[in-house]
Amino acid sequence: MRGAHPLTQGQSSTKNRRRPRGQALGATLCLCLMLVGCSGQMPVTRTGFYLDTVVEITVYGEGNGVSSAQDAADGAMELVGRYDRLFSPEGEGSDVAKINSAGGKPVAVEAETADLIRRACRYSELTEGAFDLTVAPETSLWDFRGESHAVPDAEVLSRAAALVDWRAVQVDGQTVTLRGEGRAIDLGGVAKGYIADRVREYLAGEGVSRALINLGGNVYAMGDKYGGDWTIGIRDPAAALAGEEALVAAVKVKDRSVVTSGVYERGFEIEGVLYHHILDPHTGRPVNNGLSSVTIVSADSALSDALSTACFVLGEERGLALAETLEGVEALFIRADGGMTATRGLVFEKAG
């Protein structure tokens, strides 16, 4: 891990640094991991750049030997690369690119792609479109990563929003059909979570009982930390916007994912107004409801990924109500004024 030995204390890598005012805000990881090793239990870490972010997988090889931990870590990273190629919105071999360019015709895809899209449709229905896999016409209008910062024309945004409707997606076995001219899917709001779940399953199949899977801030803590829970810190949104590293809270987890969506991840400022990457699918505009971040904790990382966005879009009251109805799901809402609200079952510690 960046700047620290994996056996002592570490911090998750950052995607990008925050740029000066008026330029793109760096997409810094929402979470930092506090890892404590154990004498004689040498972890094996693999790092790569996939899914447009830094990916880090640490495998603890007790009972299997260091060589098998190395093989498992290598295999896990290869799996991430395969899914990155399948789920990317562009590139040769991308199932998503094939669907988006098919002009409404049925497209044969890999089993995992069909599975992910099927799940994304369920999450879209569950959240009443607060998460919607067909947001690509809207997201394509915003440049949150590059240097071309401009607010799209209102009429153009309105036309794009009219194309967003998850019900236009049909999955039949391994065939996907996206109906309607101009429509396109974007799995960026759920792909990392889905991949984290598949990596966890792969590692378990290789006999690994303890690992940390960090897909650009989407963290899955597999197993326990030598008899205890892993401690995962949640970043302070206000500090992140100021380009500083600070935690606002921490949760202790085992066999759980922790996923945060925050206004500081990607965005830009124009005349003192922050335009961030969390868009309301119904309007195509950045959400402005007094929230700075939403963290979801659950055993299902794909669900956590989708809900972190959806609950942010829904706002504190409706998002909290939704999270409370879902078994095994906990949520932490952080407001722009620094206040926090959590689901009844979430145990967390405030920083400081």
Side-chain angles (χ1 to χ4, degrees), residues 63 85 110 122 143 162-163 175 194 214 217 219 242 271 278 291 314 339:
R85 291 188 293 274
E110 294 293 331
R122 289 204 304 268
D143 181 10
L163 296 172
T175 300
Y194 181 84
N214 185 354
V219 177
E271 297 180 353
I278 306 176
L291 289 176
L314 289 170

Side-chain angles (χ1 to χ4, degrees), residues 30-51:
C30 323
L31 308 171
C32 88
L33 308 178
M34 288 160 277
L35 312 181
V36 179
C38 180
S39 178
Q41 308 289 357
M42 179 66 71
V44 175
T45 298
R46 295 290 183 266
T47 304
F49 192 84
Y50 297 103
L51 313 167

Side-chain angles (χ1 to χ4, degrees), residues 29 84 90 128 133 180 199 217 292 296 316 331 333-334 350:
L29 296 188
D84 183 33
E90 56 190 24
E128 298 180 344
L133 75 161
V199 169
S292 287
I296 302 293
E316 183 177 337
F333 296 77
I334 300 177
K350 292 185 179 180

